[in-house]
Structure formats: structure tokens, C-alpha cells
């Protein structure tokens, strides 16, 4: 880790270790301008460096790709879904500013990311950061801190993610609504949009094609509910990707702190009854 102008910066090697991503995949993201480092490499003693906010987005792409999607589609989901709000919880520079009090900061986050003690990491339905792929097609997320809502449809024939919201629009969630300084830029502002396999079809306004597309979807025989309450939904075929698991591992690795992922249901239940299982208090 390197510090520059008060920010923590990390090398390619630290990014690969934290995100479980190979150098080949990281280079592809850089080549596509799907990931733009804070400091480019090259030249004498000039090492490529990354901010934690950039690493969090790479971590999301890696976790989705490791679930079976192409790296390009995983990268698309990382920027086309409304993850900006949720990912701010894993931005070290932002966490440093939330509160000088470790107790208040940890209360806001819900987990003590900075504790030198071993952190037990486990699935928890109330924690935001799930991506659900329903019927191998419909893409949901609860990243705004509420029930999992559908934000896109995978068009496998065209190899595109069809979304109904503009990518450059920031969607406020529990985190941003309670921070003094709201983000002014979305993640997609920092990459080349042509790197995304995305088609935007609005479901209202002047986008007639979009309105027809979504109206047919909502009224058709293959209708999936607008919102899925929890991950054990209605018996549909569902792939659940726990982004927050990978993001917690990412932070602990970047900070060089110990962690352990719970291995059985008993550990999950015991953890849920401990302070680590308390849902974050966003009212601070």
C-alpha cells in the first residue's frame, strides 16, 4: 500500500490478491478502458496504482465472472447495476472520513473492517450487496438497501444486458442518503462506456421501443415479479452472487488483516446472533 495526497493506493499485485483476479483479466480490463488506474505504470520506477474505490468495482466484476459469466458481461453488470451507493461502504478513503470515532464508523458500516482481530465473514440476507440472476435471464440487486429489484435482462443471443435506467444517473440508497457529502460522479463516468455490453431501453417517456419492450415483458407469460423478497424466492431458478462477501475479503486483504469465511450453517447462525450480524445503522 502507498499513500499519496492522503489517499491509499495499491499495486497490481495487491489488486489481484484482493480481488481473486488474474493478471491477464486485469490487463484486459485496462486494455478495454474498463478499468482506469489512478496512476498508470511505465517508465523508470513508475508502478501502476489503484484507489480502493476502483478496486471495489474490479472485485465485483471478478466475483460475477467467477460465477460463470464472461469478464466483459461481469464488467458490464458492475457498472450497469446501481452499485455506486453500496460500493461506497468499501471505499477506504470515504470510510476514513465518515467519523473520527471508530465506534461510530463501525456502527454505520455494520462491521468493523479495521479490527486487528480475525473477522468472520458469512452470508447474511439483511446485508445489502446481493445480485440475483433469475431464470438465467433477469438480473436483480438489492444494492440500494431494499428488496431485490430487477434492473436488467440478459439477451444471450445479442450478448447484451438490456437495462431500463440511464447508467449516468446516480441512484440514492441508504448509504448516500445519510452521508454529508453525496457522490457527484457515477462509476461509469470513469471508464469508456464502449467497454460495456449494454443496451438502455427506457420504460417511460419518449422511448417508444423501450416502453413496448418492458410492457411486453411485464404482461407476458414469462413474467417475473418486479421485486423478489429475499433470496429464497418463489421457486424460480436463481443464481445468488453475494458481492459483499468478496468485498469484505477484498478490504481485509488490502489492509493485511486476518479473516475467515464461515464454513457451515451453525457458524452462520451463531454469527447472526453476534454483534457482527447486526444490520448497519444508517441513521448516524
Amino acid at each position: 500500500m502507498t499513500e499519496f495526497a492522503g489517499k491509499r493506493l495499491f499495486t497490481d499485485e495487491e489488486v489481484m490478491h484482493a480481488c481473486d483476479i488474474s493478471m491477464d483479466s486485469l490487463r484486459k480490463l485496462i486494455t478495454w478502458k474498463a478499468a482506469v488506474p489512478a496512476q498508470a505504470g511505465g517508465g523508470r520506477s513508475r508502478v501502476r496504482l489503484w484507489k480502493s474505490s476502483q478496486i471495489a468495482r474490479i472485485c465485483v466484476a471478478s466475483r460475477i465472472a467467477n460465477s460463470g459469466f464472461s469478464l466483459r458481461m461481469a464488467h458490464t453488470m458492475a457498472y450497469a447495476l446501481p452499485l455506486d451507493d453500496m460500493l461506497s461502504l468499501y471505499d477506504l478513503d470515504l470510510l476514513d472520513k465518515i467519523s473520527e470515532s471508530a465506534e461510530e464508523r463501525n456502527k454505520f458500516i455494520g462491521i468493523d473492517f479495521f479490527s486487528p482481530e480475525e473477522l468472520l465473514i458469512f452470508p447474511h440476507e439483511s446485508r445489502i450487496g446481493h445480485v440475483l440472476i433469475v431464470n438465467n435471464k433477469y438480473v436483480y440487486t438489492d444494492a440500494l438497501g431494499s428488496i431485490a429489484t430487477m434492473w436488467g435482462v440478459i439477451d444471450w443471443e445479442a450478448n447484451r444486458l438490456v437495462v431500463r435506467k440511464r447508467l449516468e444517473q446516480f441512484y440514492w440508497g441508504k448509504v448516500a442518503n445519510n452521508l454529508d457529502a453525496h457522490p457527484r460522479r457515477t462509476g461509469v463516468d470513469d471508464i469508456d462506456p464502449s467497454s460495456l455490453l449494454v443496451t438502455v431501453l427506457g420504460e417511460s417517456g419518449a422511448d417508444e421501443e423501450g416502453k413496448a419492450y418492458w410492457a411486453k415483458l411485464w404482461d407476458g407469460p414469462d413474467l417475473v415479479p418486479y421485486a423478489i423478497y429475499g433470496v429464497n424466492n418463489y421457486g424460480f431458478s436463481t443464481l445468488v452472487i453475494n458481492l459483499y462477501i468478496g468485498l469484505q475479503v477484498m478490504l481485509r486483504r488490502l489492509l493485511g488483516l486476518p479473516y475467515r469465511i464461515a464454513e457451515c450453517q451453525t457458524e452462520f447462525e451463531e454469527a447472526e446472533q453476534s454483534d457482527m450480524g447486526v444490520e448497519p445503522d444508517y441513521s448516524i
Side-chain angles (χ1 to χ4, degrees), residues 11-12 16 56 112 130 160 172 177 186 206 222 227 231 260 279:
T11 65
D12 283 356
M16 290 187 293
D112 186 358
H130 297 88
R160 308 283 289 179
W172 308 106
N177 279 328
T186 60
D222 195 26
V231 297
R260 183 170 61 85
E279 186 174 0

Side-chain angles (χ1 to χ4, degrees), residues 87-196:
L87 287 180
S88 62
L89 281 177
Y90 303 90
D91 181 346
L92 287 172
D93 296 326
L94 181 60
L95 293 179
D96 286 340
K97 297 176 182 177
I98 287 178
S99 175
E100 293 182 1
S101 166
E103 181 179 352
E104 289 299 299
R105 181 183 59 204
N106 297 339
K107 185 180 180 183
F108 180 85
I109 300 169
I111 292 177
D112 186 358
F113 288 137
F114 300 91
S115 171
E117 303 297 326
E118 182 179 77
L119 176 67
L120 179 64
I121 298 175
F122 60 96
H124 196 279
E125 283 198 14
S126 69
R127 189 146 196 98
I128 61 174
H130 297 88
V131 168
L132 300 90
I133 315 297
V134 177
N135 291 346
N136 201 35
K137 181 176 182 179
Y138 304 103
V139 184
Y140 291 69
T141 183
D142 61 357
L144 295 180
S146 58
I147 53 180
T149 302
M150 195 178 84
W151 289 84
V153 178
I154 300 174
D155 183 342
W156 289 106
E157 184 175 348
N159 193 30
R160 308 283 289 179
L161 178 67
V162 182
V163 296
R164 55 194 182 87
K165 302 288 187 179
R166 292 184 294 109
L167 305 186
E168 68 274 14
Q169 182 176 349
F170 188 91
Y171 296 98
W172 308 106
K174 286 186 177 181
V175 180
N177 279 328
N178 289 282
L179 292 179
D180 292 334
H182 294 300
R184 294 291 181 255
R185 292 170 61 84
T186 60
V188 76
D189 292 325
D190 299 322
I191 64 164
D192 184 346
S194 68
S195 66
L196 300 170

Side-chain angles (χ1 to χ4, degrees), residues 1-21:
M1 181 180 69
T2 302
E3 289 199 19
F4 178 77
K7 296 184 181 298
R8 309 185 202 209
L9 300 175
F10 300 86
T11 65
D12 283 356
E13 288 72 21
E14 290 173 308
V15 172
M16 290 187 293
H17 174 61
C19 300
D20 289 321
I21 190 170

